[in-house]
């Protein structure tokens, strides 16, 4: 950092401290001038309607829950599945950091939330996109609240001032959505974004190597993020619920103080408090927010003593108690790590595989099994080097995919369409179990688009068992699928919760994998029992076509399997290795069928070594003409 930049930063810090001091001085002077009213407010506090206090606490809890669920929904758009309780913990902890740390609180809270998101399975672009989108949507919702307050109060001036802010927030959001969905626009923004990244890295004395490639990788990842119109409505509704529930806390506080709630002016008064707190002059707007809200309530006709008593009660529920709860969560999140002892999970303790010098950059598409989700790949992607940019989408019929379920061909076309949407020319397809059949089908349908294939316990020749035929049979298949998807997830979650309670810690991804896969396979748009039944019947119907297409796969293929796999016979892996023109078989002992969860280090290392050694050409080998 240059002397000039240091001087500018120091001047900004001094200016903020001076502004904070001036604001506190004004509030102190106002309090001294109205000391009689302040003293009277404490008398009002002694005669509060205490039965309304629990209602205020519950409403503030609902406000925080709406904000946490909004962020959770945004993360789910990129395939990161985070539980409600972990997301609530993140929201409370980040809020505590934001409102408690002077000056740098909001920035530290953003960094803290970003780190929590990445630790919970989101990659960097998804975490950044969720934070940015959540901030813009929340700001737009706040502007709508102020506009609603202005309309309810009849104050046209306030409405005219607030409307441009709401329009600007929506415009920024629309521009971001357009940028990530249009490859040409992303390409046009790559150069200035790379220049900005390079200059910022120089100021931080952390030079970025090849900033253009970093920006391109982020842009491609952002292009993969999709949120349906219903999703945008849900996110916006949750943002509005966050603000309105907090405004309801103010209304309950006024009622508890024994005053009449100024309903027509309530949102306008609340909006003034939002504006005062957003200035960040003091931590959490301390002093400034109280003074602004009190003056606004007095302007509506409330007595000074009751107005101040109501504001103090509101700030107790919405600021002090929430901040205290947040810091308790921060300390609670830090304690389990110290208690875990010297024996963490065998997979988490192993470092990333050593990156070969000759490893080229590749786009990886990770296809989960049946059932499955992008969460199956979290431990693998965390161990891949930066050259391998991995995307784990929901397959059709699962999670938040808008596509209906189907067989290998339907899934393969969805993979290729997604590559087209993201502007990816060629990719490496990594498929687990049923996803392996999808990867092989895509490689046979579009050989020019598939650079290599990695199969993990994949379906293939000889994989069908009596259970597969029973689960696909008319009548019995529907009954088994319906019963399994109604009962098994509930039983699995209960079993996992009991094990976690006995051990006194959350389970690692490689522990009780079958229970974890079945327990956390839901949460999508469609009934998963129908998806399971559709794929099961397609397996029997299309397996013969898949076996015929295997010989046309010219891309190099790595087949990973455990000889003791009890779901897909090991002989299937042998048949695949023999039938594929350019294939190699590698054993992963002791992992069973769920290789991505039980052996992520071995899988990541095998992928890196395979791509470094494989002969991947820019132009695929031409297929012989069919006679």
């Amino acid at each position: 950092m240059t002397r000039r930049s240091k001087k500018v930063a120091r001047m900004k810090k001094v200016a903020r401290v001076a502004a904070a001091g001036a604001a506190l001085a004004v509030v102190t002077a106002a309090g001294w001038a109205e000391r009689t009213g302040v003293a009277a407010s404490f008398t009002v506090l002694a005669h509060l309607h205490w039965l309304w206090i629990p209602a205020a606490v519950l409403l503030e809890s609902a406000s925080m829950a709406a904000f946490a669920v909004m962020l959770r929904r945004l993360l789910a758009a990129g395939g990161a599945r985070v539980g409600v309780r972990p997301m609530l913990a993140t929201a409370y902890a980040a809020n505590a950091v934001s409102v408690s740390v002077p000056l740098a609180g909001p920035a530290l809270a953003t960094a803290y939330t970003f780190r929590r998101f990445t630790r919970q399975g989101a990659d960097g672009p998804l975490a950044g996109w969720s934070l940015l989108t959540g901030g813009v949507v929340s700001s737009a919702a706040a502007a709508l609240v102020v506009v609603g307050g202005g309309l309810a109060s009849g104050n046209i001036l306030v409405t005219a001032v607030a409307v441009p802010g709401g329009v600007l927030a929506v415009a920024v959001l629309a521009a971001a959505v357009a940028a990530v969905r249009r490859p040409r626009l992303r390409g046009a923004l790559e150069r200035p974004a790379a220049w900005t990244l390079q200059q910022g890295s120089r100021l931080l004395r952390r030079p970025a190597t090849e900033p253009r490639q970093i920006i391109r990788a982020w842009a491609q990842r952002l292009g993969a993020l999709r949120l349906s119109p219903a999703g945008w409505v849900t996110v916006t509704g949750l943002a509005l619920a966050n603000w309105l529930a907090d405004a309801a806390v103010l209304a309950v506080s006024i009622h508890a103080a024994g005053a009449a709630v100024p309903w027509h002016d309530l949102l306008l008064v609340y909006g003034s408090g939002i504006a005062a707190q957003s200035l960040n002059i003091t931590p959490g707007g301390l002093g400034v927010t109280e003074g602004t809200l009190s003056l606004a309530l007095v302007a509506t006709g409330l007595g000074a003593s009751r107005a101040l008593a109501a504001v103090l009660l509101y700030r107790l529920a919405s600021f002090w108690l929430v901040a205290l709860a947040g810091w308790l969560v921060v300390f609670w999140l830090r304690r389990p790590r110290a208690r875990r002892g010297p024996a963490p999970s065998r997979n988490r303790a192993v470092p990333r595989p050593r990156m070969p010098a000759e490893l080229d950059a590749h786009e990886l598409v990770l296809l989960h099994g049946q059932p499955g989700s992008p969460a199956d790949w979290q431990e693998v992607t965390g161990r891949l080097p930066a050259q391998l940019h991995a995307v784990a989408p929901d397959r059709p019929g699962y999670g938040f995919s808008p596509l209906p379920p189907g067989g290998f061909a339907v899934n393969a076309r969805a993979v290729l369409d997604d590559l087209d949407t993201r502007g990816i020319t060629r990719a490496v397809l990594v498929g687990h179990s049923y996803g392996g059949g999808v990867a092989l089908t895509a490689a046979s349908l579009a050989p020019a688009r598939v650079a290599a294939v990695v199969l993990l316990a994949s379906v293939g020749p000889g994989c069908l068992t009596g259970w597969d035929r029973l689960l696909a049979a008319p009548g019995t298949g529907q009954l088994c699928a319906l019963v399994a998807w109604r009962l098994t997830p509930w039983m699995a979650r209960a079993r996992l919760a009991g094990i976690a309670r006995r051990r006194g810690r959350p389970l690692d991804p490689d522990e009780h994998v079958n229970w974890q896969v079945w327990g956390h396979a839901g949460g999508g748009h469609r009934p998963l029992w129908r998806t399971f039944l559709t794929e099961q019947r397609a397996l029997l119907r299309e397996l013969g076509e898949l076996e015929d297409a295997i010989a046309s796969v010219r891309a190099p293929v790595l087949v990973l399997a455990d000889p003791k796999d009890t779901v897909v016979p090991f002989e299937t892996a042998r048949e695949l290795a023999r039938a594929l023109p350019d294939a190699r078989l590698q054993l992963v002992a002791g992992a069973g069928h769920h290789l991505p969860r039980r052996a992520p280090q071995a899988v990541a290392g095998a992928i890196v070594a395979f791509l470094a050694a494989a002969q991947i050409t820019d132009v695929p080998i031409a297929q012989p003409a069919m006679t």
Side-chain angles (χ1 to χ4, degrees):
M1 185 179 292
T2 63
R3 291 183 177 179
R4 184 177 181 180
S5 59
K6 287 182 178 180
K7 185 177 180 180
V8 171
R10 191 160 47 245
M11 292 176 62
K12 287 183 178 180
K13 184 176 181 179
V14 170
R16 295 197 67 179
V17 171
L24 286 176
V26 170
V27 171
T28 303
W32 176 256
E34 297 293 335
R35 56 189 180 276
T36 304
V38 172
S41 68
F42 288 102
T43 304
V44 174
L45 287 174
H47 297 85
L48 287 175
H49 301 287
W50 292 103
L51 291 178
W52 289 97
I53 307 302
V57 174
L58 287 176
L59 285 169
E60 189 59 37
S61 300
S63 174
M64 293 295 296
F67 181 74
V69 175
M70 179 192 72
L71 292 178
R72 180 174 181 262
R73 183 64 183 83
L74 290 172
L75 287 176
R81 299 178 180 273
V82 182
V84 174
R85 283 185 293 181
M87 186 58 70
L88 278 172
T90 300
Y92 273 94
N95 178 77
V97 173
S98 177
V99 302
S100 303
V101 179
L103 302 179
L108 289 177
T110 302
Y112 177 85
T113 307
F114 183 90
R115 186 175 63 177
R116 283 279 296 170
F117 284 177
T118 55
R119 288 182 176 179
Q120 291 171 333
D123 55 17
L126 174 59
W129 178 83
S130 300
L131 285 171
L132 175 62
T133 305
V136 173
V137 172
S138 184
S139 299
L144 290 176
V145 169
V146 176
V147 170
L151 293 174
S153 66
N155 194 321
I156 305 301
L157 178 60
V158 174
T159 306
V161 172
V163 166
V167 172
L168 178 61
V170 173
V172 171
L173 181 60
V177 172
V180 300
R181 292 197 175 191
R182 298 180 182 275
R184 291 184 178 179
L185 183 56
R186 293 202 308 269
L189 295 176
E190 280 184 9
R191 186 185 297 274
W195 181 87
T196 303
L197 175 62
Q198 187 174 19
Q199 298 304 316
S201 301
R202 287 177 180 175
L203 290 175
L204 296 175
R205 296 182 179 180
R206 293 180 180 178
T209 58
E210 300 181 347
R212 190 74 178 269
Q213 291 188 5
I214 296 175
I215 294 298
R216 183 177 293 114
W218 273 63
Q220 290 173 353
R221 177 67 178 105
L222 291 174
L225 300 175
R226 290 291 184 269
L227 195 61
S228 64
W232 286 112
V233 172
T234 301
V235 168
T236 306
L238 289 168
L240 283 171
N242 168 43
W243 292 114
L244 293 176
D246 192 53
V249 177
L250 178 60
V252 169
S253 301
I254 296 172
H255 189 77
V261 180
W263 293 109
H264 291 290
D265 299 319
L266 179 65
L267 291 181
L268 192 59
V269 171
Y270 177 71
S272 67
I274 295 176
Q277 187 170 350
S278 65
L279 295 176
N280 293 323
I281 297 176
T282 58
L286 188 62
V288 180
T289 304
E290 286 84 352
T292 303
L293 285 173
S294 298
L295 292 175
L297 286 175
V298 169
T300 64
L302 266 70
S305 59
R306 295 191 182 277
L308 183 56
V311 169
L312 292 177
L313 180 57
Y314 163 72
R315 291 289 280 173
L316 174 65
S318 65
F319 177 76
W320 293 105
L321 290 181
V322 174
L324 175 61
W327 280 113
L328 291 176
V329 170
V330 171
F331 293 128
W332 177 77
L333 290 175
R334 295 177 62 88
R335 287 182 65 187
R337 296 182 182 178
R339 286 183 172 183
R340 291 257 176 126
S345 167
R346 62 180 182 275
N347 291 327
R348 292 175 185 261
V350 181
R352 291 173 180 259
R354 181 172 296 178
M355 183 178 63
E358 63 275 14
L359 180 64
D360 296 326
H362 292 287
E363 178 77 14
L364 270 61
V365 179
L366 311 178
L367 304 169
H368 62 76
Q370 174 212 30
S373 70
D376 296 343
W377 299 102
Q378 289 179 5
E379 296 297 305
V380 175
T381 56
R383 291 165 166 81
L384 293 175
Q387 283 94 328
L388 303 181
H389 175 243
V391 174
D394 282 310
R395 291 199 294 103
Y398 288 95
F400 295 97
S401 172
L403 303 176
F408 297 133
V410 169
N411 277 262
R413 282 192 289 270
V415 171
L416 298 174
D417 290 343
D418 179 65
L419 292 179
D420 291 336
T421 302
R422 296 191 286 130
I424 304 298
T425 305
R426 301 185 74 198
V428 176
L429 304 185
V430 183
H432 172 236
S433 192
Y434 200 97
V438 176
L440 289 172
T441 303
S444 66
L445 291 176
R449 309 296 304 279
V450 180
V453 177
V454 180
L455 304 176
L456 283 66
S458 174
V459 297
C463 70
L464 292 179
T465 65
W467 280 108
D468 290 315
R469 294 181 174 86
L470 177 65
L471 293 174
T476 58
Q478 292 171 318
L479 180 62
C480 291
L482 182 59
V483 171
W485 284 104
R486 294 295 186 190
L487 297 181
T488 306
W490 177 82
M491 294 171 58
R493 287 192 291 269
R495 172 72 172 166
L496 292 171
I499 296 173
R501 282 196 301 269
R502 287 195 297 271
R503 297 188 179 182
R505 62 171 176 82
L507 296 179
D508 289 327
D510 62 339
E511 297 179 295
H512 299 277
V513 171
N514 287 330
W515 290 115
Q516 292 203 48
V517 169
W518 279 92
H520 303 291
H525 294 309
R526 302 174 184 275
L528 285 183
W529 73 271
R530 294 188 182 276
T531 299
F532 184 87
L533 182 61
T534 300
E535 291 192 341
Q536 193 66 26
R537 291 177 173 174
L539 175 63
L540 271 68
R541 185 175 61 251
E542 299 181 12
L543 186 59
E545 300 175 5
L546 177 65
E547 293 175 358
D548 294 338
I550 286 176
S552 65
V553 177
R554 300 300 175 182
V557 180
L558 172 65
V559 181
L560 298 177
D562 183 354
K564 295 185 178 180
D565 189 341
T566 59
V567 178
V568 176
F570 180 66
E571 186 59 30
T572 297
R574 292 184 183 274
E575 290 293 333
L576 284 170
R578 284 194 290 262
L580 288 162
D582 183 7
R584 63 206 72 181
L585 175 62
Q586 182 173 332
L587 306 184
V588 182
H593 182 68
H594 296 288
L595 298 181
R597 285 181 178 262
R598 286 194 172 131
Q601 184 64 32
V603 170
I607 292 174
V608 171
F610 166 65
L611 294 179
Q615 298 296 322
I616 300 177
T617 59
D618 292 333
V619 180
I621 301 174
Q623 299 186 39
M626 301 295 292
T627 58

